[in-house]
């Protein structure tokens, strides 16, 4: 049984190919569980939306039960439910939202819609405590690369200093890995291959780092193309995959960390938080640590288990919203697969979508 205090928050994440459930109270992670359908997508070289949605249908209830077991709690202990309402795959999001609505209604507890990317930001609080106000956040994942100025995550708008103009960093890894003959997902495969390579072997470009370029914007499409052209030049001979992977990884890590540290300096922010799936990349982590140390900036990166999509991060946002006294979501809460990141709470409703049509 849960002890008196703030409500226990159940978080549900189903935006892509992971079904996650997490239990958080007062900023403390009590339990979580994740089921991935990645193996089912690997044969296609990327996520298939219909397969992902079907996997969520089968996994949601068992994952919630496992998270409760991990926390030593029962369904009766849940005091609020938080769920990812966007962005993500439409069908996948709808499965999670339907499950969350059913649980909230059945338990008679409030429901909160959460922006998926705000969840990644909040994931770090489960390991390192409350975020400093302000802090700089670098989100790097398969679908998103953004540099954000974050104040009070539960109350204040999130300021975008820069976003990717085309491919995200993780998307670049996935696409180049395929060209290099490496398995899906590409990020971990590139990281593994790079361990045996020379990061200086190939002079890959550093996009948008010129004096007249967007200072905090990102672009990885050109880097992806450069890597593909490099591989093509080795047609008919063995491709030095390790050198290519190490050089690509170095280029991505260089651009990400260079811009993030520059933003901290310009805005007088003393803490950089790096989150998202690509935050698990060994070179991104080590170069960020090296450059932050040299600049006198505190670096915070969640543990690997909280970098990829999970329900704990959604529960963390829900916990922050509950403690901040935020309004729960309306009963006609819907999903927004392409929602921009403006606030941590994301409460789109179906009638708004109809009115805009």
């Amino acid at each position: 049984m849960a002890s008196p205090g703030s409500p226990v928050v159940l978080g549900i994440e189903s935006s892509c190919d992971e079904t996650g459930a997490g239990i958080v109270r007062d900023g403390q992670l009590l339990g979580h569980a994740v089921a991935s359908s990645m193996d089912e997508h690997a044969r296609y070289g990327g996520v298939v939306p219909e397969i992902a949605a079907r996997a969520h249908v089968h996994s949601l209830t068992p994952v919630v039960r496992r998270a409760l077991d991990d926390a030593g709690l029962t369904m009766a202990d849940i005091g609020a439910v938080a769920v990812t309402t966007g962005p993500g795959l439409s069908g996948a999001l709808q499965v999670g939202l339907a499950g969350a609505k059913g649980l909230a209604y059945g338990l008679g507890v409030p429901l909160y819609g959460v922006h998926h990317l705000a969840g990644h930001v909040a994931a770090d609080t489960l390991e390192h405590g409350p975020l400093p106000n302000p802090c700089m956040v670098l989100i790097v994942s398969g679908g998103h690369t953004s540099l954000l100025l974050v104040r009070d995550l539960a109350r204040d708008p999130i300021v975008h200093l820069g976003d990717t103009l085309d491919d995200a960093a993780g998307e670049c890894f996935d696409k180049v890995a395929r060209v290099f003959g490496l398995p899906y997902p590409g990020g971990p495969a590139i990281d593994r291959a790079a361990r045996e390579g020379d990061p200086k072997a190939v002079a890959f470009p550093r996009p948008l780092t010129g004096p007249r370029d967007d200072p905090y914007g990102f672009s990885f499409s050109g880097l992806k193309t450069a890597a593909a052209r490099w591989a093509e030049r080795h047609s008919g001979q063995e491709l030095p995959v390790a050198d290519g992977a190490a050089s690509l990884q170095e280029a991505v890590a260089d651009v990400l960390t260079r811009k993030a540290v520059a933003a901290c300096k310009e805005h007088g922010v003393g803490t950089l938080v790096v989150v998202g799936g690509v935050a698990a990349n060994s070179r991104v982590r080590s170069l960020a640590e090296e450059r932050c140390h040299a600049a006198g900036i505190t670096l915070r990166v969640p543990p690997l288990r909280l970098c990829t999509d999970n329900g704990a991060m959604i529960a963390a946002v829900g916990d922050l919203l509950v403690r901040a006294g935020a309004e729960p979501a309306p009963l006609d809460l819907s999903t927004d697969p392409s929602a921009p990141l403006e606030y941590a709470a994301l409460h789109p409703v179906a009638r708004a979508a109809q009115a805009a049509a």
Side-chain angles (χ1 to χ4, degrees):
M1 290 291 292
S3 59
S6 297
V8 173
V9 180
L10 166 65
I12 293 174
E13 155 63 21
S14 68
S15 65
C16 193
D17 59 343
E18 274 97 14
T19 311
I23 314 288
V24 172
R25 181 182 58 212
D26 286 330
Q28 300 298 311
L29 177 59
L30 305 180
H32 80 120
V34 177
S36 175
S37 58
M38 186 179 297
D39 289 346
E40 297 177 60
H41 303 286
R43 72 185 73 176
Y44 303 103
V47 176
V48 180
E50 293 81 2
I51 292 176
R54 186 163 59 247
H56 291 309
V57 171
H58 293 299
S59 299
L60 185 59
T61 297
V63 163
V64 170
R65 287 175 179 163
R66 282 167 44 206
L68 286 167
D69 289 344
D70 190 38
L73 300 174
T74 69
M75 199 68 78
D77 295 312
I78 300 301
V81 177
V83 61
T84 302
T85 47
L89 302 174
S90 178
L93 289 168
Q94 290 174 25
V95 173
L97 178 58
K101 281 185 174 181
L103 289 171
Y105 182 80
L107 295 170
V109 300
L111 176 68
Y112 295 86
V114 172
H115 196 289
H116 174 78
L117 297 182
H120 278 300
V121 178
D124 184 72
T125 67
L126 299 175
E127 181 73 12
H128 300 119
L131 294 170
N133 183 356
C135 64
M136 195 67 62
V137 177
L138 175 65
I139 295 180
V140 275
S141 68
H144 305 275
T145 303
S146 298
L147 194 54
L148 312 169
L149 184 60
V150 175
R151 295 185 172 88
D152 186 321
L153 185 62
R155 295 182 174 90
D156 295 333
I158 295 167
V159 179
H160 288 246
L161 300 181
D163 297 284
T164 186
L165 303 178
D166 40 59
D167 289 356
E171 185 179 3
C172 176
F173 280 147
D174 283 340
K175 291 179 177 178
V176 173
R178 188 182 306 173
V179 173
F180 285 3
L182 296 173
Y184 175 85
I190 291 285
D191 201 351
R192 289 191 298 269
R195 294 171 191 165
E196 306 299 323
D198 177 4
K200 298 180 180 179
V202 188
F204 286 136
R206 271 50 171 173
L208 289 187
T209 54
R212 297 182 181 179
D213 290 335
D214 183 347
Y216 302 126
F218 299 96
S219 170
F220 294 102
S221 179
L223 177 58
K224 172 196 68 180
T225 301
R229 295 292 175 268
W230 173 79
E232 287 174 1
R233 289 197 293 272
H234 289 80
S235 178
Q237 53 187 300
E238 184 177 355
L239 182 68
V241 172
D243 284 347
S247 299
L248 176 76
Q249 183 172 264
E250 188 69 20
V252 171
D254 182 21
V255 171
L256 292 172
T257 58
R258 185 190 308 190
K259 287 177 178 272
V261 169
C264 288
K265 291 179 179 178
E266 180 176 337
H267 291 270
V269 176
T271 300
L272 172 64
V273 185
V274 183
V275 298
V278 180
N281 179 271
S282 63
R283 184 52 180 155
V284 170
R285 294 169 82 97
S286 65
L287 189 56
E289 184 175 350
E290 176 186 320
R291 288 180 166 171
C292 282
H293 178 75
I297 296 167
T298 299
L299 175 67
R300 292 174 41 154
V301 187
L304 297 181
R305 65 193 175 92
L306 295 177
C307 285
T308 53
D309 294 350
N310 61 85
M313 70 187 198
I314 304 305
V317 177
D319 175 63
L320 290 173
L321 293 173
V322 167
R323 290 190 283 142
E327 284 291 320
L331 292 177
D332 55 352
L333 177 67
S334 65
T335 63
D336 185 349
S338 57
L341 177 57
E342 298 171 340
Y343 288 90
L346 180 61
H347 293 169
V349 292
R351 62 175 179 271
Q354 292 167 359

mmCIF file of all heavy atoms in Angstrom, residues 69-117:
data_model
loop_
_atom_site.group_PDB
_atom_site.id
_atom_site.type_symbol
_atom_site.label_atom_id
_atom_site.label_comp_id
_atom_site.label_asym_id
_atom_site.label_seq_id
_atom_site.Cartn_x
_atom_site.Cartn_y
_atom_site.Cartn_z
ATOM 1 N N ASP A 69 3.919 -4.289 -9.958
ATOM 2 C CA ASP A 69 4.638 -5.318 -9.195
ATOM 3 C C ASP A 69 6.021 -4.830 -8.805
ATOM 4 O O ASP A 69 6.498 -5.073 -7.678
ATOM 5 C CB ASP A 69 4.749 -6.608 -10.014
ATOM 6 C CG ASP A 69 3.422 -7.330 -10.170
ATOM 7 O OD1 ASP A 69 2.487 -7.017 -9.416
ATOM 8 O OD2 ASP A 69 3.324 -8.201 -11.070
ATOM 9 N N ASP A 70 6.694 -4.143 -9.734
ATOM 10 C CA ASP A 70 8.026 -3.618 -9.467
ATOM 11 C C ASP A 70 8.002 -2.613 -8.324
ATOM 12 O O ASP A 70 8.947 -2.514 -7.527
ATOM 13 C CB ASP A 70 8.579 -2.964 -10.745
ATOM 14 C CG ASP A 70 10.047 -2.590 -10.638
ATOM 15 O OD1 ASP A 70 10.817 -3.354 -10.022
ATOM 16 O OD2 ASP A 70 10.426 -1.521 -11.155
ATOM 17 N N ALA A 71 6.901 -1.854 -8.243
ATOM 18 C CA ALA A 71 6.761 -0.849 -7.186
ATOM 19 C C ALA A 71 6.196 -1.428 -5.901
ATOM 20 O O ALA A 71 6.180 -0.744 -4.868
ATOM 21 C CB ALA A 71 5.855 0.278 -7.683
ATOM 22 N N GLY A 72 5.709 -2.674 -5.944
ATOM 23 C CA GLY A 72 5.084 -3.266 -4.770
ATOM 24 C C GLY A 72 3.746 -2.639 -4.451
ATOM 25 O O GLY A 72 3.338 -2.561 -3.282
ATOM 26 N N LEU A 73 3.031 -2.185 -5.487
ATOM 27 C CA LEU A 73 1.747 -1.510 -5.311
ATOM 28 C C LEU A 73 0.658 -2.242 -6.071
ATOM 29 O O LEU A 73 0.929 -3.140 -6.869
ATOM 30 C CB LEU A 73 1.842 -0.059 -5.812
ATOM 31 C CG LEU A 73 2.864 0.855 -5.137
ATOM 32 C CD1 LEU A 73 2.923 2.207 -5.838
ATOM 33 C CD2 LEU A 73 2.526 1.041 -3.655
ATOM 34 N N THR A 74 -0.573 -1.842 -5.825
ATOM 35 C CA THR A 74 -1.709 -2.366 -6.562
ATOM 36 C C THR A 74 -2.390 -1.231 -7.307
ATOM 37 O O THR A 74 -2.102 -0.049 -7.077
ATOM 38 C CB THR A 74 -2.726 -3.033 -5.622
ATOM 39 O OG1 THR A 74 -3.355 -2.025 -4.810
ATOM 40 C CG2 THR A 74 -2.045 -4.059 -4.715
ATOM 41 N N MET A 75 -3.326 -1.574 -8.166
ATOM 42 C CA MET A 75 -4.036 -0.556 -8.924
ATOM 43 C C MET A 75 -4.765 0.430 -8.008
ATOM 44 O O MET A 75 -4.906 1.610 -8.333
ATOM 45 C CB MET A 75 -5.021 -1.224 -9.882
ATOM 46 C CG MET A 75 -5.479 -0.341 -11.008
ATOM 47 S SD MET A 75 -4.151 0.033 -12.189
ATOM 48 C CE MET A 75 -4.093 -1.494 -13.114
ATOM 49 N N ALA A 76 -5.190 -0.041 -6.860
ATOM 50 C CA ALA A 76 -5.918 0.823 -5.932
ATOM 51 C C ALA A 76 -5.036 1.938 -5.369
ATOM 52 O O ALA A 76 -5.558 2.932 -4.841
ATOM 53 C CB ALA A 76 -6.491 -0.016 -4.789
ATOM 54 N N ASP A 77 -3.719 1.797 -5.470
ATOM 55 C CA ASP A 77 -2.811 2.825 -4.953
ATOM 56 C C ASP A 77 -2.627 3.992 -5.914
ATOM 57 O O ASP A 77 -2.078 5.031 -5.541
ATOM 58 C CB ASP A 77 -1.430 2.214 -4.658
ATOM 59 C CG ASP A 77 -1.476 1.183 -3.550
ATOM 60 O OD1 ASP A 77 -2.072 1.491 -2.498
ATOM 61 O OD2 ASP A 77 -0.927 0.082 -3.743
ATOM 62 N N ILE A 78 -3.054 3.839 -7.164
ATOM 63 C CA ILE A 78 -2.838 4.879 -8.175
ATOM 64 C C ILE A 78 -3.747 6.080 -7.901
ATOM 65 O O ILE A 78 -4.956 5.933 -7.749
ATOM 66 C CB ILE A 78 -3.110 4.328 -9.596
ATOM 67 C CG1 ILE A 78 -2.170 3.159 -9.887
ATOM 68 C CG2 ILE A 78 -2.953 5.431 -10.641
ATOM 69 C CD1 ILE A 78 -0.701 3.500 -9.800
ATOM 70 N N GLY A 79 -3.132 7.274 -7.862
ATOM 71 C CA GLY A 79 -3.895 8.490 -7.593
ATOM 72 C C GLY A 79 -4.049 9.397 -8.794
ATOM 73 O O GLY A 79 -4.819 10.368 -8.753
ATOM 74 N N ALA A 80 -3.328 9.121 -9.876
ATOM 75 C CA ALA A 80 -3.439 9.908 -11.106
ATOM 76 C C ALA A 80 -2.807 9.106 -12.236
ATOM 77 O O ALA A 80 -1.923 8.268 -12.002
ATOM 78 C CB ALA A 80 -2.743 11.265 -10.976
ATOM 79 N N VAL A 81 -3.256 9.367 -13.458
ATOM 80 C CA VAL A 81 -2.727 8.684 -14.639
ATOM 81 C C VAL A 81 -2.238 9.738 -15.624
ATOM 82 O O VAL A 81 -2.949 10.713 -15.906
ATOM 83 C CB VAL A 81 -3.786 7.789 -15.313
ATOM 84 C CG1 VAL A 81 -3.218 7.147 -16.574
ATOM 85 C CG2 VAL A 81 -4.287 6.719 -14.349
ATOM 86 N N ALA A 82 -1.018 9.565 -16.128
ATOM 87 C CA ALA A 82 -0.462 10.440 -17.159
ATOM 88 C C ALA A 82 -0.178 9.606 -18.395
ATOM 89 O O ALA A 82 0.237 8.447 -18.279
ATOM 90 C CB ALA A 82 0.817 11.112 -16.660
ATOM 91 N N VAL A 83 -0.395 10.187 -19.567
ATOM 92 C CA VAL A 83 -0.215 9.421 -20.800
ATOM 93 C C VAL A 83 0.338 10.316 -21.899
ATOM 94 O O VAL A 83 0.009 11.506 -21.968
ATOM 95 C CB VAL A 83 -1.555 8.783 -21.251
ATOM 96 C CG1 VAL A 83 -2.617 9.851 -21.526
ATOM 97 C CG2 VAL A 83 -1.370 7.879 -22.461
ATOM 98 N N THR A 84 1.178 9.759 -22.747
ATOM 99 C CA THR A 84 1.683 10.495 -23.905
ATOM 100 C C THR A 84 0.541 10.738 -24.882
ATOM 101 O O THR A 84 -0.104 9.790 -25.339
ATOM 102 C CB THR A 84 2.790 9.700 -24.618
ATOM 103 O OG1 THR A 84 3.844 9.420 -23.707
ATOM 104 C CG2 THR A 84 3.349 10.498 -25.795
ATOM 105 N N THR A 85 0.303 12.012 -25.226
ATOM 106 C CA THR A 85 -0.733 12.342 -26.210
ATOM 107 C C THR A 85 -0.127 12.864 -27.513
ATOM 108 O O THR A 85 -0.849 13.177 -28.448
ATOM 109 C CB THR A 85 -1.723 13.378 -25.635
ATOM 110 O OG1 THR A 85 -0.999 14.435 -25.011
ATOM 111 C CG2 THR A 85 -2.639 12.736 -24.608
ATOM 112 N N GLY A 86 1.172 12.965 -27.609
ATOM 113 C CA GLY A 86 1.843 13.371 -28.818
ATOM 114 C C GLY A 86 3.239 13.866 -28.489
ATOM 115 O O GLY A 86 3.557 14.073 -27.314
ATOM 116 N N PRO A 87 4.081 14.025 -29.493
ATOM 117 C CA PRO A 87 3.906 13.522 -30.855
ATOM 118 C C PRO A 87 4.227 12.035 -30.923
ATOM 119 O O PRO A 87 4.706 11.455 -29.948
ATOM 120 C CB PRO A 87 4.918 14.345 -31.647
ATOM 121 C CG PRO A 87 6.013 14.634 -30.651
ATOM 122 C CD PRO A 87 5.318 14.786 -29.324
ATOM 123 N N GLY A 88 3.958 11.443 -32.096
ATOM 124 C CA GLY A 88 4.231 10.021 -32.262
ATOM 125 C C GLY A 88 3.376 9.435 -33.372
ATOM 126 O O GLY A 88 2.742 10.161 -34.132
ATOM 127 N N LEU A 89 3.350 8.120 -33.451
ATOM 128 C CA LEU A 89 2.542 7.423 -34.439
ATOM 129 C C LEU A 89 1.086 7.455 -34.000
ATOM 130 O O LEU A 89 0.765 7.122 -32.850
ATOM 131 C CB LEU A 89 3.011 5.974 -34.578
ATOM 132 C CG LEU A 89 4.486 5.766 -34.972
ATOM 133 C CD1 LEU A 89 4.834 4.294 -34.932
ATOM 134 C CD2 LEU A 89 4.763 6.365 -36.338
ATOM 135 N N SER A 90 0.198 7.835 -34.898
ATOM 136 C CA SER A 90 -1.198 8.056 -34.535
ATOM 137 C C SER A 90 -1.836 6.836 -33.879
ATOM 138 O O SER A 90 -2.424 6.925 -32.786
ATOM 139 C CB SER A 90 -2.003 8.458 -35.778
ATOM 140 O OG SER A 90 -3.358 8.644 -35.468
ATOM 141 N N GLY A 91 -1.748 5.691 -34.523
ATOM 142 C CA GLY A 91 -2.369 4.495 -33.978
ATOM 143 C C GLY A 91 -1.775 4.081 -32.652
ATOM 144 O O GLY A 91 -2.491 3.661 -31.727
ATOM 145 N N ALA A 92 -0.460 4.200 -32.532
ATOM 146 C CA ALA A 92 0.215 3.835 -31.290
ATOM 147 C C ALA A 92 -0.219 4.736 -30.141
ATOM 148 O O ALA A 92 -0.508 4.269 -29.029
ATOM 149 C CB ALA A 92 1.731 3.924 -31.488
ATOM 150 N N LEU A 93 -0.283 6.033 -30.396
ATOM 151 C CA LEU A 93 -0.729 6.983 -29.371
ATOM 152 C C LEU A 93 -2.152 6.680 -28.921
ATOM 153 O O LEU A 93 -2.474 6.760 -27.729
ATOM 154 C CB LEU A 93 -0.666 8.413 -29.914
ATOM 155 C CG LEU A 93 0.719 9.018 -30.126
ATOM 156 C CD1 LEU A 93 0.613 10.307 -30.934
ATOM 157 C CD2 LEU A 93 1.401 9.300 -28.781
ATOM 158 N N GLN A 94 -3.010 6.326 -29.867
ATOM 159 C CA GLN A 94 -4.410 6.077 -29.527
ATOM 160 C C GLN A 94 -4.578 4.866 -28.619
ATOM 161 O O GLN A 94 -5.449 4.849 -27.746
ATOM 162 C CB GLN A 94 -5.223 5.907 -30.810
ATOM 163 C CG GLN A 94 -5.391 7.200 -31.593
ATOM 164 C CD GLN A 94 -6.064 6.991 -32.930
ATOM 165 O OE1 GLN A 94 -6.803 6.031 -33.114
ATOM 166 N NE2 GLN A 94 -5.800 7.874 -33.881
ATOM 167 N N VAL A 95 -3.727 3.861 -28.793
ATOM 168 C CA VAL A 95 -3.793 2.688 -27.924
ATOM 169 C C VAL A 95 -3.470 3.088 -26.483
ATOM 170 O O VAL A 95 -4.194 2.724 -25.536
ATOM 171 C CB VAL A 95 -2.834 1.591 -28.400
ATOM 172 C CG1 VAL A 95 -2.797 0.432 -27.383
ATOM 173 C CG2 VAL A 95 -3.245 1.070 -29.766
ATOM 174 N N GLY A 96 -2.403 3.836 -26.305
ATOM 175 C CA GLY A 96 -2.017 4.260 -24.962
ATOM 176 C C GLY A 96 -3.060 5.153 -24.320
ATOM 177 O O GLY A 96 -3.379 5.015 -23.131
ATOM 178 N N LEU A 97 -3.603 6.092 -25.111
ATOM 179 C CA LEU A 97 -4.604 7.006 -24.573
ATOM 180 C C LEU A 97 -5.877 6.257 -24.175
ATOM 181 O O LEU A 97 -6.458 6.525 -23.113
ATOM 182 C CB LEU A 97 -4.927 8.098 -25.590
ATOM 183 C CG LEU A 97 -6.004 9.100 -25.174
ATOM 184 C CD1 LEU A 97 -5.633 9.800 -23.872
ATOM 185 C CD2 LEU A 97 -6.241 10.126 -26.287
ATOM 186 N N ALA A 98 -6.316 5.319 -25.003
ATOM 187 C CA ALA A 98 -7.517 4.547 -24.669
ATOM 188 C C ALA A 98 -7.325 3.777 -23.363
ATOM 189 O O ALA A 98 -8.214 3.748 -22.498
ATOM 190 C CB ALA A 98 -7.861 3.596 -25.810
ATOM 191 N N GLY A 99 -6.158 3.169 -23.208
ATOM 192 C CA GLY A 99 -5.878 2.441 -21.973
ATOM 193 C C GLY A 99 -5.834 3.356 -20.770
ATOM 194 O O GLY A 99 -6.380 3.030 -19.708
ATOM 195 N N ALA A 100 -5.190 4.524 -20.929
ATOM 196 C CA ALA A 100 -5.084 5.475 -19.821
ATOM 197 C C ALA A 100 -6.454 6.019 -19.429
ATOM 198 O O ALA A 100 -6.766 6.169 -18.239
ATOM 199 C CB ALA A 100 -4.156 6.617 -20.215
ATOM 200 N N LYS A 101 -7.281 6.336 -20.430
ATOM 201 C CA LYS A 101 -8.639 6.817 -20.131
ATOM 202 C C LYS A 101 -9.432 5.770 -19.358
ATOM 203 O O LYS A 101 -10.131 6.093 -18.388
ATOM 204 C CB LYS A 101 -9.372 7.167 -21.425
ATOM 205 C CG LYS A 101 -9.004 8.501 -22.037
ATOM 206 C CD LYS A 101 -9.887 8.779 -23.246
ATOM 207 C CE LYS A 101 -9.650 10.165 -23.808
ATOM 208 N NZ LYS A 101 -10.533 10.460 -24.973
ATOM 209 N N GLY A 102 -9.341 4.521 -19.793
ATOM 210 C CA GLY A 102 -10.063 3.465 -19.110
ATOM 211 C C GLY A 102 -9.626 3.310 -17.667
ATOM 212 O O GLY A 102 -10.463 3.167 -16.763
ATOM 213 N N LEU A 103 -8.324 3.367 -17.436
ATOM 214 C CA LEU A 103 -7.812 3.232 -16.071
ATOM 215 C C LEU A 103 -8.220 4.425 -15.211
ATOM 216 O O LEU A 103 -8.671 4.254 -14.064
ATOM 217 C CB LEU A 103 -6.287 3.102 -16.097
ATOM 218 C CG LEU A 103 -5.736 1.784 -16.630
ATOM 219 C CD1 LEU A 103 -4.223 1.870 -16.816
ATOM 220 C CD2 LEU A 103 -6.087 0.635 -15.686
ATOM 221 N N ALA A 104 -8.064 5.644 -15.738
ATOM 222 C CA ALA A 104 -8.414 6.834 -14.964
ATOM 223 C C ALA A 104 -9.900 6.846 -14.618
ATOM 224 O O ALA A 104 -10.293 7.163 -13.487
ATOM 225 C CB ALA A 104 -8.033 8.094 -15.742
ATOM 226 N N TYR A 105 -10.733 6.495 -15.603
ATOM 227 C CA TYR A 105 -12.179 6.476 -15.372
ATOM 228 C C TYR A 105 -12.553 5.396 -14.357
ATOM 229 O O TYR A 105 -13.337 5.627 -13.425
ATOM 230 C CB TYR A 105 -12.917 6.241 -16.687
ATOM 231 C CG TYR A 105 -14.427 6.253 -16.551
ATOM 232 C CD1 TYR A 105 -15.126 7.454 -16.477
ATOM 233 C CD2 TYR A 105 -15.131 5.055 -16.500
ATOM 234 C CE1 TYR A 105 -16.507 7.462 -16.345
ATOM 235 C CE2 TYR A 105 -16.515 5.052 -16.371
ATOM 236 C CZ TYR A 105 -17.199 6.253 -16.294
ATOM 237 O OH TYR A 105 -18.558 6.259 -16.150
ATOM 238 N N GLY A 106 -11.987 4.214 -14.538
ATOM 239 C CA GLY A 106 -12.309 3.119 -13.637
ATOM 240 C C GLY A 106 -11.860 3.364 -12.210
ATOM 241 O O GLY A 106 -12.533 2.953 -11.257
ATOM 242 N N LEU A 107 -10.723 4.026 -12.055
ATOM 243 C CA LEU A 107 -10.196 4.295 -10.718
ATOM 244 C C LEU A 107 -10.755 5.581 -10.114
ATOM 245 O O LEU A 107 -10.576 5.844 -8.922
ATOM 246 C CB LEU A 107 -8.664 4.391 -10.776
ATOM 247 C CG LEU A 107 -7.912 3.114 -11.158
ATOM 248 C CD1 LEU A 107 -6.442 3.411 -11.418
ATOM 249 C CD2 LEU A 107 -8.058 2.060 -10.056
ATOM 250 N N GLY A 108 -11.382 6.408 -10.965
ATOM 251 C CA GLY A 108 -11.906 7.688 -10.479
ATOM 252 C C GLY A 108 -10.809 8.673 -10.135
ATOM 253 O O GLY A 108 -10.919 9.436 -9.169
ATOM 254 N N VAL A 109 -9.726 8.689 -10.947
ATOM 255 C CA VAL A 109 -8.589 9.576 -10.672
ATOM 256 C C VAL A 109 -8.364 10.501 -11.871
ATOM 257 O O VAL A 109 -8.809 10.206 -12.987
ATOM 258 C CB VAL A 109 -7.307 8.762 -10.391
ATOM 259 C CG1 VAL A 109 -7.505 7.852 -9.175
ATOM 260 C CG2 VAL A 109 -6.894 7.938 -11.604
ATOM 261 N N PRO A 110 -7.683 11.635 -11.669
ATOM 262 C CA PRO A 110 -7.458 12.559 -12.775
ATOM 263 C C PRO A 110 -6.512 12.004 -13.829
ATOM 264 O O PRO A 110 -5.652 11.165 -13.543
ATOM 265 C CB PRO A 110 -6.858 13.796 -12.090
ATOM 266 C CG PRO A 110 -6.302 13.298 -10.802
ATOM 267 C CD PRO A 110 -7.176 12.156 -10.384
ATOM 268 N N LEU A 111 -6.698 12.495 -15.058
ATOM 269 C CA LEU A 111 -5.893 12.094 -16.205
ATOM 270 C C LEU A 111 -5.138 13.307 -16.727
ATOM 271 O O LEU A 111 -5.696 14.411 -16.806
ATOM 272 C CB LEU A 111 -6.806 11.545 -17.300
ATOM 273 C CG LEU A 111 -6.176 11.160 -18.642
ATOM 274 C CD1 LEU A 111 -5.278 9.946 -18.472
ATOM 275 C CD2 LEU A 111 -7.268 10.873 -19.673
ATOM 276 N N TYR A 112 -3.870 13.114 -17.099
ATOM 277 C CA TYR A 112 -3.044 14.202 -17.622
ATOM 278 C C TYR A 112 -2.429 13.772 -18.954
ATOM 279 O O TYR A 112 -1.845 12.688 -19.050
ATOM 280 C CB TYR A 112 -1.917 14.566 -16.644
ATOM 281 C CG TYR A 112 -2.425 15.124 -15.341
ATOM 282 C CD1 TYR A 112 -2.788 14.280 -14.296
ATOM 283 C CD2 TYR A 112 -2.557 16.501 -15.151
ATOM 284 C CE1 TYR A 112 -3.271 14.780 -13.101
ATOM 285 C CE2 TYR A 112 -3.041 17.020 -13.955
ATOM 286 C CZ TYR A 112 -3.397 16.154 -12.941
ATOM 287 O OH TYR A 112 -3.880 16.662 -11.765
ATOM 288 N N GLY A 113 -2.563 14.631 -19.965
ATOM 289 C CA GLY A 113 -1.878 14.408 -21.225
ATOM 290 C C GLY A 113 -0.489 15.002 -21.161
ATOM 291 O O GLY A 113 -0.295 16.103 -20.634
ATOM 292 N N VAL A 114 0.491 14.293 -21.697
ATOM 293 C CA VAL A 114 1.899 14.698 -21.589
ATOM 294 C C VAL A 114 2.541 14.738 -22.966
ATOM 295 O O VAL A 114 2.332 13.851 -23.794
ATOM 296 C CB VAL A 114 2.668 13.716 -20.671
ATOM 297 C CG1 VAL A 114 4.174 14.002 -20.707
ATOM 298 C CG2 VAL A 114 2.137 13.791 -19.244
ATOM 299 N N HIS A 115 3.331 15.780 -23.205
ATOM 300 C CA HIS A 115 4.126 15.854 -24.429
ATOM 301 C C HIS A 115 5.307 14.895 -24.302
ATOM 302 O O HIS A 115 6.056 14.937 -23.306
ATOM 303 C CB HIS A 115 4.622 17.278 -24.666
ATOM 304 C CG HIS A 115 5.105 17.521 -26.057
ATOM 305 N ND1 HIS A 115 6.276 16.974 -26.541
ATOM 306 C CD2 HIS A 115 4.576 18.246 -27.086
ATOM 307 C CE1 HIS A 115 6.448 17.356 -27.792
ATOM 308 N NE2 HIS A 115 5.418 18.129 -28.150
ATOM 309 N N HIS A 116 5.467 14.054 -25.298
ATOM 310 C CA HIS A 116 6.505 13.021 -25.267
ATOM 311 C C HIS A 116 7.905 13.588 -24.990
ATOM 312 O O HIS A 116 8.669 13.028 -24.192
ATOM 313 C CB HIS A 116 6.502 12.278 -26.612
ATOM 314 C CG HIS A 116 7.602 11.285 -26.778
ATOM 315 N ND1 HIS A 116 7.578 10.039 -26.200
ATOM 316 C CD2 HIS A 116 8.776 11.361 -27.463
ATOM 317 C CE1 HIS A 116 8.677 9.383 -26.513
ATOM 318 N NE2 HIS A 116 9.425 10.153 -27.286
ATOM 319 N N LEU A 117 8.238 14.699 -25.632
ATOM 320 C CA LEU A 117 9.582 15.259 -25.458
ATOM 321 C C LEU A 117 9.780 15.853 -24.073
ATOM 322 O O LEU A 117 10.885 15.812 -23.520
ATOM 323 C CB LEU A 117 9.857 16.310 -26.534
ATOM 324 C CG LEU A 117 9.864 15.791 -27.975
ATOM 325 C CD1 LEU A 117 10.199 16.908 -28.947
ATOM 326 C CD2 LEU A 117 10.846 14.638 -28.132
#
